[in-house]
Amino acid sequence: MEYMTDPVKHTPGHILCCDCGVPISPNPANICVACLRSKVDISQGIPKQVSISFCKQCQRYFQPPGTWVQCALESRDLLALCLKKIKAPLSKVRLVDASFVWTEPHSKRLKVKLTIQKEVMNGAILQQVFVVDYVVQPQMCGDCHRVEAKDFWKAVVQVRQKTLHKKTFYYLEQLILKYGMHQNTLRIKEIHDGLDFYYSSKQHAQKMVEFLQCTVPTRYKASQRLISQDIHSNTYNYKSTFSVEIVPICKDNVVCLSPKLAQSLGNMNQICVCIRVTSVIHLIDPNTLQVADIDGNTFWSHPFNSLCHPKQLEEFIVMECSIVQDIKRSAGAGMISKKIIEEFIFFPVKHTLGEVWVQKTSEMNTDKQYFCRTHLGHLLNPGDLVLGFDLVNCNLNDEHVNKMKSDRVPDVVLIKKSYDRTRRQRRRNWKLKELARDRENTDTDDERQYQDFLEDLEEDEAIRKNVNIYRDSTIPVESDTDDEGAPRISLAEMLEDLHISQDATGGEGESMMT
């Protein structure tokens, strides 16, 4: 008869520590952990306090030998940077674990808890946990030094436009802000006919030139000047200059095309109105509503100028207006701006051909009236005020106009409907951001030109799509159109101007946040 017996549980034997006599499990050193740690410190040689450099201007940490890197607090990148500061001492031990110990953001301290292992007496492996304290010391990086100096630069982009109105520059400024193309600039300087962008590297300047070529019709020239050289290392220090010229045409300019260019654009009339300037020049013929787009290369091959100065705009009153139903088009005519073909053009515009009789408001005591065709037939009614150019009494000094027959030159070219500017400014519940730049000579006419640009944004949805418009909370929200029908920007097209603070503690801790 067999009996079941329980298995015998074998427990490992114990020995006494050779130093303190405490029973311990056998190990190669025959010594307890407490006595072993009292005799051997495996963290010896690893510094417990290390300094790390931080630039408050650009929010970057210094990584030897000469690199500045962007790291968020308690991120893996910052942990790797901290471990590299003690890389040499850590090579003598085995790193098991590393993690951050929370500290106040404004304390200028970073604490890293390390777990290391190392073989000690007779092959025994000892593990130890300790904390390394990193002191964050402020130090300005080389790039920020150049920014503060404001005179040190490697490349400059000089943007110029030979025109008396700054509408194109105001539009270009909003595009630069929207796409953040100003972030790498050392300094932005405004002069009477353009802007200068200073950069610390040639690559940033080239990127800006490429951006300008994609947004407005331009041409540029590049040059460089030798500053210094080292014949032993064969290194050269250059300063580069990029001269960018924007086409001298702005919105609402009346232009006269060359006969060859007008023929290539679909036999359109030579006298045209510029309705907007984006990456191309958008023109419309006020007599036939024929539209054309001219890029930078075409313009520089067949240049033309504005016939009248913006200050020559005169105010007319509409005496009679009729819509032209049947538009006679010649053979080979190009595309016209009308509702029935909106799907074929990039920016849908709604123009209606009208025949109007107008009279100058300054000549109301006379019976002199002017007849003209206009692309504003959908906006004008008898009694409305409209702005236009009087080509009959204007001295036109243009080679293409002088060669035209007198019957081909219109008496008046109407540009846009006139509204009460004071009322529009008072009810404007939106605003734009501006570039931080150095101004040398501020013209008194700049404010009037800026108000013209704001009115263009309200009237032209195509330009408005490329601009970030922010709601002005100080102005109450009203309807999209006022009593006199002046266009306004809807609330759905506006952005909230948010100011997000990254550190609630403020003060010095705010500069350490990324």
Side-chain angles (χ1 to χ4, degrees):
M1 190 172 181
E2 297 182 357
Y3 295 94
M4 299 294 294
T5 58
D6 295 333
V8 179
K9 296 182 179 179
H10 298 281
T11 58
H14 290 79
I15 63 174
L16 299 179
C17 175
C18 62
D19 280 355
C20 62
V22 176
I24 60 172
S25 299
N27 58 64
N30 294 329
I31 191 172
C32 66
V33 176
C35 296
L36 187 60
R37 285 181 176 175
S38 64
K39 292 185 176 183
V40 180
D41 183 13
I42 63 175
S43 65
Q44 187 178 6
I46 301 178
K48 304 303 187 294
Q49 189 173 33
V50 185
S51 62
I52 185 171
S53 300
F54 175 75
C55 180
K56 294 192 293 184
Q57 276 73 15
C58 61
Q59 306 288 307
R60 293 187 299 176
Y61 292 90
F62 179 66
Q63 179 178 344
T67 309
W68 292 84
V69 294
Q70 192 98 19
C71 301
L73 284 179
E74 299 190 5
S75 63
R76 297 182 61 182
D77 296 334
L78 184 57
L79 182 60
L81 178 62
C82 293
L83 294 179
K84 287 181 181 178
K85 297 287 289 185
I86 54 176
K87 182 179 180 181
L90 281 180
S91 62
K92 301 178 182 179
V93 297
R94 180 190 175 194
L95 181 63
V96 178
D97 187 27
S99 61
F100 279 104
V101 178
W102 185 86
T103 56
E104 290 286 348
H106 62 275
S107 63
K108 302 276 185 164
R109 293 293 186 273
L110 298 174
K111 293 187 177 182
V112 179
K113 184 173 68 173
L114 301 179
T115 303
I116 61 174
Q117 291 180 350
K118 185 178 181 181
E119 184 177 347
V120 291
M121 299 179 181
N122 301 325
I125 297 177
L126 183 64
Q127 179 172 303
Q128 185 174 346
V129 179
F130 62 99
V131 176
V132 178
D133 192 6
Y134 291 85
V135 181
V136 179
Q137 296 182 346
Q139 178 182 346
M140 186 177 292
C141 65
D143 295 337
C144 294
H145 264 297
R146 300 184 187 102
V147 174
E148 292 299 325
K150 294 185 178 180
D151 292 328
F152 185 87
W153 51 273
K154 290 291 186 67
V156 59
V157 179
Q158 300 174 341
V159 186
R160 301 290 183 268
Q161 186 182 27
K162 299 177 181 178
T163 181
L164 298 176
H165 206 290
K166 297 183 179 181
K167 285 185 178 182
T168 306
F169 271 108
Y170 290 134
Y171 173 69
L172 183 61
E173 176 185 17
Q174 296 303 316
L175 291 180
I176 293 174
L177 286 170
K178 181 177 181 179
Y179 296 103
M181 298 302 297
H182 63 292
Q183 295 178 353
N184 295 323
T185 56
L186 299 177
R187 179 189 179 193
I188 301 177
K189 183 180 178 181
E190 180 180 353
I191 59 176
H192 65 282
D193 59 349
L195 294 172
D196 290 345
F197 298 87
Y198 294 90
Y199 294 91
S200 59
S201 66
K202 184 178 179 181
Q203 290 75 15
H204 291 157
Q206 290 174 333
K207 186 177 180 180
M208 184 64 174
V209 173
E210 294 174 358
F211 174 79
L212 295 174
Q213 289 182 306
C214 296
T215 52
V216 289
T218 59
R219 65 177 178 180
Y220 79 96
K221 293 181 180 179
S223 62
Q224 59 183 9
R225 180 164 57 99
L226 180 64
I227 303 301
S228 61
Q229 63 176 335
D230 187 354
I231 59 175
H232 301 288
S233 60
N234 199 26
T235 57
Y236 300 87
N237 182 20
Y238 290 100
K239 279 191 175 183
S240 302
T241 302
F242 296 88
S243 179
V244 181
E245 182 181 359
I246 305 176
V247 294
I249 304 298
C250 291
K251 186 180 184 298
D252 297 336
N253 284 163
V254 178
V255 299
C256 182
L257 308 179
S258 64
K260 184 177 181 180
L261 179 59
Q263 183 179 9
S264 64
L265 297 176
N267 292 326
M268 66 188 306
N269 291 326
Q270 291 181 246
I271 303 295
C272 298
V273 177
C274 177
I275 54 178
R276 75 177 60 87
V277 177
T278 55
S279 57
V280 294
I281 304 173
H282 302 267
L283 300 179
I284 187 170
D285 182 2
N287 286 320
T288 61
L289 294 187
Q290 187 173 337
V291 294
D293 295 340
I294 300 178
D295 57 9
N297 294 331
T298 304
F299 175 85
W300 301 118
S301 300
H302 306 278
F304 51 87
N305 297 315
S306 175
L307 297 182
C308 302
H309 187 273
K311 291 185 178 180
Q312 294 177 298
L313 275 174
E314 298 191 51
E315 191 176 57
F316 296 85
I317 184 171
V318 180
M319 309 302 296
E320 183 180 348
C321 180
S322 60
I323 304 300
V324 179
Q325 301 295 339
D326 298 328
I327 304 177
K328 296 181 180 180
R329 306 184 64 196
S330 59
M335 183 169 50
I336 65 173
S337 175
K338 205 172 182 181
K339 294 182 181 180
I340 58 175
I341 60 166
E342 283 181 5
E343 61 270 19
F344 296 105
I345 54 181
F346 184 72
F347 285 124
V349 290
K350 300 178 181 179
H351 295 113
T352 304
L353 186 62
E355 294 181 344
V356 296
W357 284 90
V358 295
Q359 186 176 7
K360 290 183 181 180
T361 56
S362 59
E363 298 178 353
M364 295 299 294
N365 56 347
T366 64
D367 57 352
K368 187 175 183 180
Q369 298 184 3
Y370 303 89
F371 173 80
C372 65
R373 278 192 167 190
T374 178
H375 59 289
L376 305 176
H378 59 296
L379 295 176
L380 301 182
N381 295 301
D384 289 344
L385 296 178
V386 61
L387 298 178
F389 293 106
D390 180 11
L391 301 185
V392 176
N393 302 315
C394 182
N395 184 15
L396 300 178
N397 187 14
D398 187 86
E399 58 175 343
H400 302 311
V401 177
N402 296 335
K403 297 179 182 179
M404 291 179 60
K405 296 181 180 180
S406 58
D407 57 343
R408 301 288 295 176
V409 180
D411 296 340
V412 173
V413 178
L414 302 182
I415 301 300
K416 60 180 179 179
K417 188 175 179 180
S418 178
Y419 301 97
D420 186 0
R421 168 166 288 186
T422 304
R423 183 182 178 89
R424 295 182 71 173
Q425 292 181 9
R426 187 174 63 253
R427 302 187 62 175
R428 185 172 291 139
N429 59 344
W430 55 274
K431 59 185 178 179
L432 300 176
K433 291 187 176 181
E434 297 183 3
L435 285 173
R437 55 186 182 270
D438 300 334
R439 303 175 186 265
E440 286 191 346
N441 298 322
T442 303
D443 192 358
T444 56
D445 195 42
D446 290 348
E447 181 61 27
R448 183 188 64 83
Q449 296 181 9
Y450 186 69
Q451 293 299 327
D452 290 342
F453 172 70
L454 297 182
E455 293 176 2
D456 291 341
L457 289 180
E458 293 176 336
E459 298 170 5
D460 196 341
E461 184 181 359
I463 299 179
R464 202 159 63 232
K465 291 179 180 178
N466 300 327
V467 176
N468 285 341
I469 299 174
Y470 298 90
R471 180 176 175 270
D472 190 355
S473 57
T474 60
I475 308 297
V477 179
E478 299 180 10
S479 59
D480 295 343
T481 57
D482 55 18
D483 298 336
E484 64 176 5
R488 302 183 66 194
I489 299 178
S490 63
L491 190 62
E493 299 178 79
M494 302 180 191
L495 302 174
E496 289 290 344
D497 191 9
L498 299 178
H499 299 279
I500 302 176
S501 61
Q502 296 173 330
D503 182 21
T505 59
E508 295 179 345
E510 187 175 357
S511 63
M512 292 183 60
M513 299 296 289
T514 58

